[in-house]
Amino acid sequence: VLVGATGATQVPIPEPLIKVLKGRFGFPQIPQGAIDYLKFPCTVDGQRFRKETGFLPAHDLRSTVAAVHRD
């Protein structure tokens, strides 16, 4: 969802290649923890939190991405 919301194209890159490319050729220098997060994403359902606390986010995912996305 996030990749599509930015208008970007998802391209799978083998992990050994990421280790070679990071910090070079326009690829960001990202820590190993970020690579692990991309490999093993975690999705959390916030329904119970919202029910218990009454929390309502001020912005949804699409408006957040639009606010930071630069063409």
Side-chain angles (χ1 to χ4, degrees):
V1 172
L2 187 56
V3 173
T6 65
T9 301
Q10 184 173 350
V11 178
I13 301 174
E15 186 175 358
L17 186 56
I18 292 172
K19 290 179 180 183
V20 171
L21 293 176
K22 68 180 184 176
R24 300 178 183 162
F25 310 110
F27 286 87
Q29 177 64 36
I30 59 175
Q32 183 61 42
I35 294 170
D36 292 342
Y37 176 77
L38 294 171
K39 285 174 43 180
F40 310 109
C42 175
T43 303
V44 177
D45 179 0
Q47 183 176 359
R48 182 172 174 199
F49 177 80
R50 287 190 304 273
K51 179 182 175 190
E52 297 293 328
T53 65
F55 174 80
L56 292 174
H59 306 281
D60 64 8
L61 176 62
R62 292 194 190 285
S63 65
T64 302
V65 170
V68 298
H69 180 65
R70 296 186 179 110
D71 294 310

